Amino acid sequence: MRKENSSNAINRQFLSESCILNAAVDAFSGRWIPQIIYSISEGLNRFHLLKNELPNISEQVLGRKLKELEKEGIIIKEVIPDTVPVGVCYILTGKGKDLLPIFVSICEWGKKYVVENEMS
């Protein structure tokens, strides 16, 4: 949980208010967030499937990140009917689906510039 009074939170708020790009990037940045969004888009939409796909993430962190994505309106949590215990899956919203081509563009940029610089 983010502390609203911390200097990081104050700086994040200032940057978000001063430039829409900062606000947009903040909505999907952070450790694990892009990978979780991508994994859900690939059909890994149950908690245990995401945990298996991302073995280095703790269950607490995964749960917290899913809640953050839900709060941002990037995913929704849907109850799977007729399951015992009650099962849920995560689905990308339109807002979440609109991130996918952006991620592809960022990956292409990374292949061109980040990977290139690491090999130099």
Side-chain angles (χ1 to χ4, degrees), residues 44-63:
L44 302 171
N45 59 357
R46 306 275 306 266
F47 190 91
H48 73 279
L49 295 174
L50 289 165
K51 182 65 181 105
N52 289 341
E53 177 74 4
L54 309 168
N56 294 335
I57 191 171
S58 72
E59 289 185 7
Q60 285 180 329
V61 171
L62 178 57

Side-chain angles (χ1 to χ4, degrees), residues 3 7 12 17 26-27 31 39 41 47 53 59-60 70 73 78 83 87 90 93-94 97-98 104-105 107 111 113-114:
K3 294 180 183 175
S7 59
R12 181 179 289 111
E17 290 171 355
D26 194 45
R31 188 174 292 160
S39 295
S41 78
F47 190 91
E53 177 74 4
E59 289 185 7
Q60 285 180 329
E70 205 175 351
E78 188 172 276
T83 56
Y90 299 94
T93 62
K97 289 176 185 173
D98 284 349
V104 169
S105 295
C107 286
K111 288 177 191 173
Y113 296 108
V114 177

